Amino acid sequence: MKKSLLFALCTLLPLAAAAQQNWKAVTRYDKQDAKTKLTERLTDYVTYDTQAGTDTDKVPSSKGQTAFAKKLAKDLKRIGAQNVTVSKNGAVTADIPSTSANTLPTLLFAAPMDTTPALSGKDVKPQVHAKYNGGDIIINPQANVRLTQYNSPQLMSARTHDLITASGGTVLGADAKAGAAVLLTYADYLLGNTSVAHGPVKLLFIPDTLNGRGTDALQPAGLGADYAFVLGAGNTGEYTSENFNVRYFTAVFEGDRTQDPGNAMYSDFADNLLMAADFHTLLPRQRRPETTAGNRGFIWVNDITHNGNTSTVKGEIHAFTDQELQELTDLVNQSFNTVKSLYPKRKSEKLTFTDGAKNLRPSLPPQMPAQLQEAMQKEEITPVPVPRRDHGGPAAALTAGGLPAIGLFNGSFNSGTELEYADADVMEAALRTLLTLTADWPAQSAG
């Protein structure tokens, strides 16, 4: 098989049949060549408008995602990937066959395909800012759109790096496509260097992750993998092995606002609208989204509706542990019961809870984060665990479906805004992490 031009300078040490391969040889390539190839792929991929749709239940929800899926499939076939398919829901899958004599677990590496519906991803014009030397990066001088160390503090560690931005008025789309560029370059390397011993590898590109319909359409058990890693936004070394547990609540208050308000004191007047407002107000302010960070959970009311004598409050409880989830649930119950005591003339009330996303961490085999951390450390990358303060995205969805998954950095920042950018040096660090993780797994997993 023809070797990739990107890794023409790679020097691989001979591998003895019964000996563990030298992990350092796996990523001994010219980093500038790698960055060039990563940048070329990213600046190509961001020209595809893969905005997630909000007004359709169809998956994929936009024609651009279908076009991008075909592009990825074409690129995968060109570099020699096997069993390349595009599902009816627009997910792209491909195989990289094992090169090891041992029976080893199948690793799956995934990346999203879609960009935010909140800002246009059409006619993206990428700009490469080579060897950043500090100061502001002007994205669009006419609109005065620029990256600064105030709106993008990651720039303080990006000197000499090659950075990619859009040109103003659009997202870059790197939150999805930086991962795609890394995975294609990763596959190109493995397929072009078959002397690197590794187990079977699967690649997955997922549409409509932002509206959730693409991840909902996945069938993790049918992917044929043992462990999964999903590339998403983040800086060097960042990974996610936990996310919020989510519990939804609905409080319904029934009153009687048909009575003459001028004689309310001596009637059956009961203001259900005020009950809903009091319920919201009584929820602890120190446990709201804007007053919590890190591993501290929160209670969030996201909808209050009023229809005649009925008022409904809907919200969410987010917590990393089951214990904290129950503590916050108790606080919601406490506020609800206080409202009941304040309005003896109320007609009825009801509070219900429904469980949603689960923290993926309890479902992860211990060796997964351990092997990931070791791979990073071998590449002189400091592992940085970052808990996701949301529903967990594709990694949580895969884990919930029975395929344990961890989220990994892809070198993109300021996701979903016109200040979005990608760092080719961080993308290259992600590439090395994947290669070392893949080639090192046999040593830790062989029996």
Side-chain angles (χ1 to χ4, degrees):
M1 183 179 296
K2 184 178 179 181
K3 290 188 176 182
S4 165
L5 292 177
L6 166 61
F7 302 108
L9 298 180
C10 173
T11 303
L12 290 171
L13 300 181
L15 304 177
Q20 178 182 345
Q21 63 188 325
N22 185 327
W23 66 268
K24 196 62 179 176
V26 174
T27 55
R28 189 175 295 169
Y29 53 73
D30 186 286
K31 290 185 180 181
Q32 186 56 52
D33 285 345
K35 287 166 53 180
T36 298
K37 184 58 69 175
L38 288 163
T39 300
E40 288 174 351
R41 285 196 166 102
L42 177 60
T43 54
D44 180 15
Y45 291 167
V46 297
T47 62
Y48 288 80
D49 181 8
T50 60
Q51 191 175 49
T54 58
D55 57 355
T56 177
D57 292 332
K58 185 179 179 181
V59 181
S61 61
S62 61
K63 292 181 180 179
Q65 291 187 76
T66 300
F68 187 45
K70 293 178 180 178
K71 166 66 174 175
L72 290 172
K74 180 179 178 180
D75 286 355
L76 287 163
K77 290 177 182 178
R78 179 179 55 79
I79 63 176
Q82 297 185 5
N83 303 321
V84 179
T85 61
V86 179
S87 75
K88 65 178 182 179
N89 292 317
V92 182
T93 54
D95 293 341
I96 301 174
S98 173
T99 56
S100 174
N102 298 318
T103 300
L104 301 169
T106 299
L107 304 183
L108 181 143
F109 297 100
M113 296 165 57
D114 56 322
T115 60
T116 179
L119 188 62
S120 175
K122 184 179 181 181
D123 298 327
V124 174
K125 296 178 176 60
Q127 304 179 90
V128 179
H129 309 269
K131 299 188 183 305
Y132 171 66
N133 63 357
D136 295 356
I137 295 177
I138 299 175
I139 295 177
N140 187 303
Q142 289 77 27
N144 194 30
V145 179
R146 61 180 65 207
L147 295 177
T148 72
Q149 292 185 0
Y150 295 100
N151 62 33
S152 305
Q154 307 92 345
L155 290 177
M156 290 186 284
S157 61
R159 283 183 180 270
T160 74
H161 292 193
D162 295 340
L163 308 180
I164 303 99
T165 70
S167 300
T170 69
V171 295
L172 177 62
D175 54 342
K177 289 151 190 172
V182 170
L183 288 189
L184 263 292
T185 307
Y186 160 85
D188 197 1
Y189 178 91
L190 287 185
L191 291 164
N193 293 278
T194 54
S195 56
V196 177
H198 62 81
V201 173
K202 290 183 176 291
L203 303 179
L204 170 66
F205 301 87
I206 313 169
D208 286 322
T209 62
L210 294 175
N211 60 29
R213 289 192 284 272
T215 48
D216 289 345
L218 291 175
Q219 296 180 337
L223 293 172
D226 298 293
Y227 309 104
F229 299 87
V230 183
L231 277 73
N235 209 345
T236 304
E238 293 183 349
Y239 71 94
T240 299
S241 58
E242 59 179 325
N243 59 276
F244 273 137
N245 295 299
V246 180
R247 179 168 290 166
Y248 303 96
F249 63 87
T250 300
V252 180
F253 300 96
E254 194 82 23
D256 186 355
R257 302 179 87 246
T258 63
Q259 301 291 326
D260 178 8
N263 296 304
M265 180 178 291
Y266 305 106
S267 71
D268 290 331
F269 182 88
D271 194 339
N272 46 280
L273 184 58
L274 186 56
M275 297 176 204
D278 281 348
F279 172 67
H280 188 198
T281 302
L282 286 166
L283 295 172
R285 291 181 179 272
Q286 74 273 19
R287 301 312 298 265
R288 287 184 51 80
E290 68 271 28
T291 59
T292 56
N295 287 317
R296 189 170 171 82
F298 60 82
I299 303 169
W300 179 42
V301 169
N302 53 26
D303 186 66
I304 300 178
T305 58
H306 168 67
N307 183 15
N309 288 331
T310 303
S311 296
T312 303
V313 181
K314 294 184 178 181
E316 301 178 12
I317 302 170
H318 292 231
F320 284 105
T321 67
D322 290 341
Q323 178 181 348
E324 185 183 33
L325 184 67
Q326 187 56 52
E327 290 172 355
L328 296 180
T329 300
D330 291 343
L331 289 174
V332 173
N333 270 308
Q334 180 179 322
S335 298
F336 182 76
N337 289 331
T338 299
V339 171
K340 288 170 58 178
S341 69
L342 291 173
Y343 295 91
K345 293 183 180 180
R346 69 190 184 281
K347 300 302 180 183
S348 66
E349 70 290 321
K350 185 177 182 181
L351 177 62
T352 57
F353 296 92
T354 304
D355 284 340
K358 291 294 185 182
N359 190 346
L360 62 84
R361 186 174 182 176
S363 299
L364 291 180
Q367 66 266 33
M368 278 191 75
Q371 288 174 322
L372 174 61
Q373 292 167 8
E374 183 174 341
M376 289 183 179
Q377 290 165 348
K378 285 183 175 180
E379 289 300 327
E380 299 180 347
I381 294 171
T382 301
V384 183
V386 179
R388 279 191 63 155
R389 291 179 58 81
D390 62 10
H391 300 69
L398 290 171
T399 303
L403 175 57
I406 290 177
L408 287 179
F409 68 100
N410 72 3
S412 66
F413 305 90
N414 300 337
S415 298
T417 73
E418 62 179 341
L419 297 178
E420 185 179 14
Y421 72 96
D423 186 324
D425 291 70
V426 180
M427 293 171 65
E428 190 277 328
L431 172 63
R432 282 187 285 119
T433 298
L434 297 192
L435 289 170
T436 300
L437 179 65
T438 305
D440 196 46
W441 207 289
Q444 298 187 37
S445 301

